[in-house]
């Protein structure tokens, strides 16, 4: 169902961004590149961050309180770029003001909170999207396109792997302090990619480790997934892996199918061995004018997911990573922690049942 009458839907949508921290700068640049929407007001409870981002990106309307911004501005949506603790109150506030919302990952730190946000938006009849951008990276989409084309037949095995020793803590110091780290912050993206490529998973068996003594949570996770369509996959993540050439933030992928294989290797090299023979392709993401290596892969995906949001608002389509969809990724995160704790396979919960 389209939300707006035709004329209304063709105008530029007015967004308000909440949380002007480390990652929001990418989102702000992304909004400049997106067609059909722009950010007209920003909010951060930290006046310094507010001033810095407002000055850098040229936004005059600035608020330290999200409720005030929502009341004072004529907004079509809000983009919530804060850390997880504030997601539920901000999303519920936006729902109460009947504002479509994008919320950063991790959507919530519990399935109950996530389910409550999804329920609030379902009752309001409004769109809610989780900013789960990794599946929007062009190399990942290239892999999915090969599977969809039937080039390798029916997939029966996958390995979705993110191994690095990149210092993520200097940009995001909070990552070093939480009881949970790599599955909740990074594994959540990689589990979502596994779902995107091989479908939903019915069981997960996980092991975790903490190698870096200076952080509180786990920095290594190895997960075995049983997908509902019959494939098995290994999702492995590490921030304790020193390699000859640092691959951050590349996700490396192996998919084996009944008719062939896909390999997405370091430096964005894609090799497909399939029905049409062997094909090699460079699937490097473009370096956008405002982007910087090695983050350009993630930065490009920010533009793609935000454009998808605008296209969905216009058409009334449900976003691919809607709140409802993301519950399944979040349920895998929870199941992985439970499995690592019990050392037993765990079936992810069905949060809305
Ligand atoms: P950050 O701490 O640098 O920024 C968060 C900002 O939100 C801070 O400036 C803080 O003052 C502000 N804030 C918090 N609560 C607020 C509230 N109630 N009202 C107004 N302002 C509030 O964090 P970050 O590193 O930018 O991460 C933000 C989110 O983005 C996290 O959930 C993180 O997991 C996610 N993230 C996603 C990606 C990705 O690729 N999708 C990459 C990095 C971070
Ligand atoms: O994407 C993220 O959520 C980031 C990073 C890539 C550093 O893990 O926190």
């Amino acid at each position: 169902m389209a939300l707006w009458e035709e004329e209304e839907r063709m105008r530029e949508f007015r967004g308000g961004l909440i949380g002007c921290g480390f990652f929001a700068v990418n989102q702000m640049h992304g909004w400049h590149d997106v067609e059909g929407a722009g950010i007209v007001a920003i909010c951060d409870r930290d006046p310094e961050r507010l001033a810095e981002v407002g000055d850098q990106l040229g936004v005059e309307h600035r608020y330290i309180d999200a409720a005030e911004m929502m009341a004072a501005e004529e907004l079509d949506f809000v983009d919530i770029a804060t850390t997880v603790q504030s997601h539920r109150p901000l999303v519920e506030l936006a729902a109460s003001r009947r504002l479509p919302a994008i919320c950063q990952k991790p959507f919530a730190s519990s399935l109950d909170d996530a389910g409550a946000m999804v329920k609030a938006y379902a009752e309001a009849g409004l769109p809610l999207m989780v900013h789960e951008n990794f599946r929007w990276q062009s190399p990942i989409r290239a892999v999915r396109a090969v599977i969809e084309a039937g080039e390798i037949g029916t997939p029966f095995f996958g390995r979705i792997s993110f191994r690095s020793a990149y210092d993520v803590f200097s940009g995001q110091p909070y990552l070093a302090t939480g009881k949970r780290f790599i599955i909740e912050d990074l594994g959540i993206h990689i589990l979502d990619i596994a779902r995107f490529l091989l479908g939903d998973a019915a069981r997960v068996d996980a092991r975790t480790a903490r190698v870096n003594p200076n952080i509180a949570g786990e920095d290594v996770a190895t997960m075995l997934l049983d997908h509902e369509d019959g494939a098995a996959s290994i999702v492995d993540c590490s921030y304790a892996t020193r390699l000859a050439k640092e691959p951050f933030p590349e996700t490396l992928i192996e998919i084996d199918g009944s008719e062939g294989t896909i390999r997405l290797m370091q430096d964005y090299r894609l090799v497909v061995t399939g029905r049409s023979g062997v094909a090699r392709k460079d699937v490097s993401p473009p370096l956008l004018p405002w982007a910087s290596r090695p983050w350009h892969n993630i930065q490009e995906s920010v533009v793609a997911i935000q454009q998808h949001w605008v296209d969905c608002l216009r058409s009334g389509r449900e976003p691919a990573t809607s709140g409802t969809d993301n519950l399944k990724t979040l349920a895998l995160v929870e199941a992985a922690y439970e499995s690592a704790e019990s050392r037993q396979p765990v079936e992810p919960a069905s949060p809305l049942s």
Side-chain angles (χ1 to χ4, degrees), residues 105 134 168 172 175 185-186 189 239 248 295 298:
K105 53 59 65 177
F134 269 41
V168 286
Q172 297 164 265
L175 294 177
D185 183 68
L186 184 274
H189 290 304
Y239 273 126
F248 181 88
W295 288 85
I298 291 178

Side-chain angles (χ1 to χ4, degrees), residues 47-129:
E48 276 181 31
R49 287 302 306 167
L50 191 60
E52 199 172 314
V53 170
D55 292 350
Q56 188 187 346
L57 280 300
V59 184
E60 296 296 332
H61 294 214
R62 305 174 188 180
Y63 298 84
I64 52 166
D65 182 74
E68 231 175 83
M69 179 178 82
M70 291 182 207
E73 298 286 333
E74 276 191 28
L75 300 175
D76 297 307
F77 70 94
V78 287
D79 186 6
I80 299 167
T82 59
T83 42
V84 69
Q85 303 79 357
S86 52
H87 287 174
R88 182 171 173 182
L90 289 170
V91 166
E92 288 182 340
L93 176 67
S96 74
R97 305 234 29 133
R98 298 203 53 74
L99 283 168
I102 307 172
C103 179
Q104 254 298 347
K105 53 59 65 177
F107 187 28
S109 41
S110 76
L111 280 174
D112 282 352
D113 281 355
M117 290 187 271
V118 168
K119 193 161 169 274
Y121 268 80
E123 284 171 2
L126 293 170
L128 169 65
M129 180 178 88

Side-chain angles (χ1 to χ4, degrees), residues 135 139-145 147-148 155 159-160 191-200 227 229 251 253-255 262:
R135 65 161 81 175
I140 307 296
R141 298 195 88 76
V143 171
R144 163 101 170 211
I147 297 173
E148 276 180 347
R159 179 177 176 207
I160 330 287
L191 288 166
D192 191 70
I193 292 173
R195 285 187 55 228
F196 180 60
L197 297 179
L198 296 169
D200 289 334
H227 293 268
D229 287 347
T251 303
I253 295 178
E254 299 175 17
I255 308 281
I262 303 171

